[in-house]
């Protein structure tokens, strides 16, 4: 059997911010290609810090990070949609390509595809203020997809949305993941969302942030709506909840 190189490895990663806050202590993880892994934990436990370190937006104070980026590309979806208010949907999606020096005319097909993939055809010329929260989040996802990532890091992308929109976007995200075989690292507060989406859920504890449990969600994909009401699903959610309550 040919073993693929893992996409992400963190070895004994700790992070102390300049003000002395110890955000992470001895975080170890290995994420394989095409895995969907969620990080759950209470506010302030260091989820975003882990994601930012993986993205290279922050450096570990000790320990090291190994990323399989030779032939693989990484994109980041931020917690708030973080769109440019003065730019329409197309221009917002074009931004990462523009920053990479791709002329607009060469990017048009990619922009169109990314917008279509998140179901926003017809809204290309709308400005962020003319979109709902869920639509803004889709634009933000399209902006990550336009870069044709292999590894997608998502920091609470659906945190600000109502349950119905969130659950629709969860289904769409799984469809896209199924088509593209991305490696996804997904940060959320929401245990139910984490269980529904993931191959594995990493549970983080607080003060300082560390991983307290690594739980395989063995239910096969595609996961239908009935998974959300199954005993199996409830069992996973309860077990994660217990890990979160243990201090
Ligand atoms: N730039 C920074 N400087 C100093 N401390 C920071 C900085 N960023 C984060 N922290 C601290 O590090 C800890 C972890 O923060 P982090 O943002 O990673 O948590 P989180 O799990 O993502 O929280 P949330 O769920 O609220 O987004 C917190 O105590 C936070 O106050
Ligand atoms: Mg965060």
């Amino acid at each position: 059997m040919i073993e693929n190189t893992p996409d992400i490895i963190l070895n004994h990663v700790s992070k102390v911010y300049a003000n002395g806050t110890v955000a992470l202590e001895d975080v170890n993880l290995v994420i394989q290609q095409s895995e969907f892994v969620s990080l759950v934990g209470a506010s302030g436990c260091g989820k975003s810090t882990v994601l930012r370190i993986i993205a290279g937006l922050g450096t570990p104070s000790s320990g090291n990070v190994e990323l399989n980026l030779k032939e693989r590309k990484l994109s980041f979806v931020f917690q708030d949609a973080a769109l440019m208010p003065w730019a329409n949907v197309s221009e917002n999606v074009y931004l990462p390509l523009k920053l990479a020096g791709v002329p607009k005319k060469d990017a048009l097909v990619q922009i169109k595809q990314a917008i279509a993939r998140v179901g926003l055809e017809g809204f290309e010329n709308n400005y962020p203020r003319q979109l709902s929260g869920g639509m803004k989040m889709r634009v933000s996802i399209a902006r990550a997809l336009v870069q044709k990532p292999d590894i997608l890091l998502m920091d609470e992308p659906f945190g600000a949305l109502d349950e119905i929109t969130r659950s629709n976007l969860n289904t769409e995200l799984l469809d896209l993941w199924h088509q593209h075989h991305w490696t996804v690292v997904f940060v959320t507060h929401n245990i139910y969302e984490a269980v529904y989406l993931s191959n594995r859920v990493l549970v983080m504890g607080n003060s300082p942030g560390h991983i307290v449990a690594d739980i395989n969600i063995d239910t096969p994909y595609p996961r239908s709506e009935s998974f959300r009401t199954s005993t199996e699903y409830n069992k996973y959610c309860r077990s994660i909840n217990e890990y979160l309550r243990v201090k």
Side-chain angles (χ1 to χ4, degrees):
M1 197 176 102
I2 301 166
E3 292 270 324
N4 279 328
T5 317
D7 267 340
I8 299 164
I9 302 176
L10 265 59
N11 290 313
H12 303 292
V13 165
S14 297
K15 175 73 183 180
V16 184
Y17 282 107
N19 65 359
T21 304
V22 184
L24 300 177
E25 191 174 77
D26 199 28
V27 171
N28 294 286
L29 55 86
V30 177
I31 297 176
Q32 303 292 343
Q33 294 188 23
S34 304
E35 264 195 304
F36 197 123
V37 176
S38 289
L39 275 177
V40 300
S43 184
C45 73
K47 303 180 297 295
S48 296
T49 303
V50 170
L51 220 58
R52 292 173 60 83
I53 286 175
I54 295 172
L57 299 169
T59 50
S61 309
S62 62
N64 71 304
V65 180
E66 294 170 43
L67 298 175
N68 178 26
L69 291 183
K70 226 175 272 164
E71 281 158 6
R72 318 242 320 141
K73 212 180 315 160
L74 184 145
S75 299
F76 202 117
V77 178
F78 292 94
Q79 190 155 355
D80 44 4
L83 303 179
M84 302 181 293
W86 61 86
N88 67 23
V89 168
S90 284
E91 289 156 355
N92 267 290
V93 173
Y94 171 49
L95 180 70
L97 297 179
K98 186 178 182 180
L99 294 174
V102 181
K104 183 83 176 264
K105 64 175 183 6
D106 298 338
L108 289 175
V109 173
Q110 273 164 278
I111 296 170
K112 193 169 182 291
Q113 279 174 352
I115 290 174
R117 274 198 246 158
V118 298
L120 282 181
E121 300 105 322
F123 293 95
E124 290 83 354
N125 297 320
N126 281 46
Y127 286 84
R129 65 172 182 279
Q130 300 168 314
L131 302 173
S132 71
M135 291 162 89
K136 280 185 221 171
M137 222 45 244
R138 284 168 203 258
V139 177
S140 176
I141 293 168
R143 192 170 54 186
L145 299 190
V146 81
Q147 303 168 74
K148 299 221 158 54
D150 303 289
I151 304 169
L152 193 56
L153 308 179
M154 306 181 89
D155 194 352
E156 296 199 47
F158 310 138
L161 305 175
D162 63 84
E163 274 307 311
I164 299 163
T165 310
R166 180 197 282 258
S167 101
N168 288 337
L169 285 172
N170 282 173
T171 307
E172 288 170 25
L173 177 61
L174 279 187
D175 286 345
L176 286 169
W177 175 66
H178 188 70
Q179 288 167 39
H180 299 280
H181 310 287
W182 302 312
T183 304
V184 181
V185 187
F186 188 95
V187 165
T188 179
H189 280 118
N190 191 310
I191 299 168
Y192 306 99
E193 179 175 61
V195 171
Y196 182 70
L197 293 172
S198 315
N199 294 123
R200 267 164 73 203
V201 178
L202 303 179
V203 185
M204 289 187 66
N206 241 323
S207 312
H210 61 291
I211 293 173
V212 294
D214 181 342
I215 296 167
N216 281 315
I217 312 296
D218 290 323
T219 311
Y221 298 91
R223 292 178 182 169
S224 63
E225 278 305 308
S226 63
F227 177 49
R228 289 185 198 274
T229 50
S230 65
T231 24
E232 204 183 359
Y233 178 77
N234 271 299
K235 193 190 76 194
Y236 285 124
C237 295
R238 261 207 315 275
S239 131
I240 293 169
N241 220 341
E242 274 161 28
Y243 280 112
L244 286 171
R245 273 185 306 167
V246 177
K247 287 285 164 194

